[in-house]
Amino acid sequence: MTFRLDQLPKKRYVIPGNAACAGCGMMIGLKILGMALGDESVLVIPASCASVVQGLAPKTGLAFPILNVPFASSAAVATGIAEAYKALGVRGHVVVWAGDGGTADIGFATLSGAAERNSNVIYVMYDNEAYMNTGIQRSSSTPRSAWTTTTPSGKRERRKDVALLMAMHGVPYVATASIAYPHDFYRKLKRAAEVEGFRFIHLQTPCPPGWRFDPAKTVEVARLAVETGAWILWEYDKGVLKVNPPSDRFADKSKRRPLVEYVKLQGRFAHLSESDIKALEEEIEERWRLILALSSALNQR
């Protein structure tokens, strides 16, 4: 499927006057979600940036039906809504819109439970790679070596790959996406809407204050994440895993842009030495080998 942005629905689901930071990648993602699912969706949002930037009812900055819930409960609450929809014969999509803290850390138990049950939910993890709303603390999704207020000399651990963990649950649909490639994210939302059961999309959403870059460069930073191979666009659809364009070109390391172009735009990596960047490159290459090996193995079954 191909889509032109000027042909997509024009209704605004992210309203001017919301409380998001300038250049917020999360809000770009929400705009695309509105274009793809719109009035057919109800959002379940745990404690996060998204629960704050809405503003206060009745003059909220998001034109979705929204249920704001405690940090750890979003997948469980969404499961309950999906079951109620089924019992009442209600048509629509139950969508969790949750950050990395509420997904990879505090909400992981209920996330895994919903995936194991194959609950009829679309779960979008918007990943700004730290607890941005409460002061830029590290999460398990924060990349190795990144500065946060709780890792002032750089995080020592590698990040948790939640999308791969969801695929290993054997759910029907898992994908990664980037706000720099709205057509790809839109298509994946549409595909997820066609599938019954638990669906998970891991969306990278750069954060200017937390990553320490110029708010005008949000899309540039997101695009560089893909072009340097640091963020891989892939899709697991009913047992078949494939790398999506433009990431499919970057399986060949020689076609990627140098990783230093990505990290130099971000103050959270300003302390890195050449050897630190080399270590990150090796970690990225390891992730590529894993994704390509899984793609090859699953596609040959």
Side-chain angles (χ1 to χ4, degrees):
M1 294 183 290
T2 58
F3 307 95
R4 282 176 40 183
L5 289 181
D6 62 346
Q7 295 175 336
L8 298 183
K10 300 298 190 294
K11 180 176 177 178
R12 289 186 174 186
Y13 291 87
V14 176
I15 310 302
N18 65 74
C21 299
C24 177
M26 176 194 68
M27 300 306 274
I28 296 173
L30 270 173
K31 290 178 182 179
I32 300 165
L33 177 71
M35 291 177 181
L37 303 182
D39 293 334
E40 300 175 2
S41 62
V42 57
L43 268 57
V44 178
I45 300 179
S48 61
C49 292
S51 63
V52 174
V53 302
Q54 303 166 34
L56 299 176
K59 296 183 179 181
T60 64
L62 301 178
F64 296 92
I66 294 172
L67 183 61
N68 290 293
V69 300
F71 230 140
S73 66
S74 55
V77 172
T79 295
I81 297 173
E83 289 299 316
Y85 272 21
K86 181 179 179 181
L88 296 172
V90 176
R91 294 173 59 87
H93 304 295
V94 182
V95 180
V96 175
W97 182 263
D100 46 298
T103 302
D105 296 340
I106 297 172
F108 190 77
T110 52
L111 170 69
S112 181
E116 186 267 336
R117 291 188 303 269
N118 198 29
S119 298
N120 193 30
V121 169
I122 299 173
Y123 194 113
V124 180
M125 171 184 169
Y126 73 86
D127 191 359
N128 51 30
E129 300 182 354
Y131 289 80
M132 299 305 181
N133 180 50
T134 55
I136 319 176
Q137 298 91 354
R138 60 89 81 193
S139 77
S140 61
S141 191
T142 303
R144 191 194 301 273
S145 300
W147 169 91
T148 69
T149 54
T150 51
T151 58
S153 60
K155 185 187 172 190
R156 298 177 181 177
E157 303 81 15
R158 67 189 303 159
R159 76 177 184 212
K160 183 188 295 183
D161 197 325
V162 183
L164 273 180
L165 288 169
M166 290 298 100
M168 294 304 102
H169 279 67
V171 300
Y173 186 81
V174 179
T176 64
S178 166
I179 54 97
Y181 297 90
H183 298 80
D184 180 70
F185 182 38
Y186 180 91
R187 180 189 65 79
K188 287 170 176 173
L189 286 166
K190 284 294 192 182
R191 175 56 186 154
E194 296 172 348
V195 176
E196 192 80 10
F198 191 82
R199 295 138 288 166
F200 183 88
I201 299 177
H202 189 167
L203 175 70
Q204 191 192 43
T205 57
C207 172
W211 295 18
R212 295 181 162 185
F213 64 80
D214 183 337
K217 294 184 179 295
T218 301
V219 173
E220 180 182 350
V221 170
R223 187 179 297 114
L224 278 169
V226 173
E227 292 178 345
T228 59
W231 188 258
I232 308 171
L233 299 176
W234 57 267
E235 187 172 28
Y236 175 83
D237 193 344
K238 296 189 175 180
V240 175
L241 190 152
K242 60 183 178 180
V243 179
N244 304 121
S247 285
D248 54 351
R249 293 193 292 113
F250 305 127
D252 180 350
K253 186 177 180 180
S254 67
K255 295 183 179 179
R256 300 177 205 161
R257 296 178 68 170
L259 183 63
V260 68
E261 294 185 18
Y262 176 55
V263 301
K264 73 179 181 181
L265 289 180
Q266 304 173 56
R268 63 175 179 162
F269 291 123
H271 60 283
L272 297 191
S273 65
E274 288 186 16
S275 61
D276 292 330
I277 295 174
K278 180 67 174 176
L280 287 178
E281 289 174 338
E282 292 171 356
E283 187 173 307
I284 289 168
E285 191 58 29
E286 180 183 340
R287 188 177 304 118
W288 270 99
R289 286 194 295 268
L290 176 58
I291 293 293
L292 293 174
L294 285 171
S295 177
S296 177
L298 292 172
N299 294 350
Q300 291 176 11
R301 290 190 305 179

